[in-house]
Amino acid sequence: MSRCVEIYEVGPRDGLQNEKRRIPVEDKVALIDHLGRAGFRHIEVASFVSPKWIPQMADSGEVMKRIARVEGVAYAALTPNMRGLESAISAQADEVAVFGSASEGFSKANINSSVDESLKRFSPVVAAAVDAGMSVRGYVSCVVSCPYEGPVEPKQVARIAERLYQMGCREISLGDTTGRALPENIAKMLDAVAERVPVDQLAGHYHDTTGRALENVEVSLEKGVRVFDAAAGGLGGCPYAPGASGNVATEAVNDRLTALGYETGLNRDVIAKAALMARAMRA
């Protein structure tokens, strides 16, 4: 099994979207440009959704226009519908993502549709993105528990992940949205999903509400997962998951992986500076 692990940086999008204070475009651009020097292969920087729902991302087009793109880095954007995809293509996003849920309650709260309705909505978006030569990532939220419905069955997560994979998503990111999963919960969920989607197409996306995210990373490594989402400075949270804390911090994941003997290819000093920049945006 490979000793190389990718950290997929989501701070500029998933991290900042929950901040109530308006973050100036120049600050977002400065953070992204700094992260671009750290050695990441992917940085999620934008979200082309209605500003009515996520006001912090209303300037995504301007942010993407002003960043200094680094060769070898794919700059990704969330695109929940065809209009969002068109905006992402216009902004020259390298990769796009669709965001589904394994929980009906969260799906209705987050994107105002049932799980199956959301999958039908995503299908033409994924197809159009692939036709345009773009890579597509699929997110599945609430893979262990839902803030509205409680525990989520692993087989339901597997069903949604398989549908996204069959649509053409190159990678499926599995999110512990509430941040309350235990390692044994993550292990059972991954076992179920891996029966339907190749494990090398999976990523772990763990929030750190109860301080168990790094343990969940470790159990995922044991199951063969080699991609993990993280946010510089532990930015994040979710407006539709009350009480959930931020994403697991990039710097913490990098340090844990390095201590375990894995290679991330990231510059620790650059990441540390990015974490300081990210935390300052919370002030």
Side-chain angles (χ1 to χ4, degrees):
M1 188 65 70
S2 173
R3 301 302 290 181
C4 295
V5 177
E6 179 184 359
I7 297 179
Y8 193 114
E9 176 59 48
V10 299
R13 196 284 296 180
D14 193 38
L16 291 180
Q17 72 171 9
N18 203 44
E19 295 300 311
K20 304 303 181 188
R21 178 181 71 87
R22 181 185 173 277
I23 309 297
V25 169
E26 52 268 27
D27 290 352
K28 295 178 182 179
V29 169
L31 175 61
I32 295 165
D33 286 352
H34 190 80
L35 288 166
R37 296 189 285 273
F40 292 103
R41 290 169 52 198
H42 296 86
I43 304 175
E44 193 175 65
V45 300
S47 180
F48 291 100
V49 300
S50 170
K52 174 183 176 182
W53 302 114
I54 309 291
Q56 189 67 253
M57 294 288 107
D59 53 13
S60 286
E62 183 65 19
V63 169
M64 293 203 72
K65 183 189 300 184
R66 291 172 58 176
I67 58 176
R69 297 176 187 243
V70 176
E71 185 177 356
V73 179
Y75 295 88
L78 188 69
T79 56
N81 50 40
M82 290 301 294
R83 179 179 295 180
L85 176 61
E86 291 167 1
S87 296
I89 291 173
S90 178
Q92 299 184 320
D94 299 302
E95 177 173 280
V96 295
V98 293
F99 192 100
S101 172
S103 154
E104 292 290 349
F106 189 81
S107 182
K108 290 172 183 175
N110 190 30
I111 56 178
N112 196 31
S113 72
S114 71
V115 170
D116 285 336
E117 286 170 346
S118 73
L119 292 170
K120 290 178 183 178
R121 182 188 304 171
F122 297 152
S123 184
V125 177
V126 175
V130 172
D131 286 345
M134 303 179 80
S135 177
V136 185
R137 198 176 203 232
Y139 283 98
V140 184
S141 59
C142 297
V143 298
V144 169
S145 63
C146 168
Y148 306 100
E149 299 177 356
V152 174
E153 286 293 324
K155 64 182 180 181
Q156 169 70 352
V157 182
R159 182 179 79 86
I160 306 307
E162 183 181 35
R163 290 279 299 276
L164 290 170
Y165 182 65
Q166 291 175 339
M167 278 182 205
C169 292
R170 69 153 185 94
E171 185 170 86
I172 310 300
S173 176
L174 302 166
D176 173 27
T177 308
T178 64
R180 299 183 183 280
L182 301 174
E184 52 264 37
N185 303 140
I186 295 296
K188 289 179 182 178
M189 180 272 297
L190 288 174
D191 284 342
V193 176
E195 290 181 359
R196 301 198 184 193
V197 179
V199 72
D200 60 359
Q201 307 299 126
L202 302 177
H205 183 113
Y206 306 138
H207 288 233
D208 205 23
T209 307
T210 61
R212 307 297 293 272
L214 293 177
E215 294 176 55
N216 291 334
V217 167
E218 289 196 31
V219 75
S220 301
L221 289 167
E222 293 171 6
K223 295 295 182 179
V225 177
R226 291 295 181 268
V227 181
F228 297 96
D229 299 354
L235 286 178
C238 178
Y240 301 102
S245 69
N247 294 283
V248 65
T250 301
E251 59 276 16
V253 176
N254 187 64
D255 284 350
R256 180 64 62 91
L257 290 171
T258 301
L260 292 171
Y262 291 93
E263 298 177 6
T264 66
L266 300 181
N267 185 309
R268 189 174 187 274
D269 292 337
V270 175
I271 293 172
K273 175 65 182 301
L276 291 175
M277 296 171 68
R279 292 191 187 104
M281 293 182 182
R282 287 176 164 168

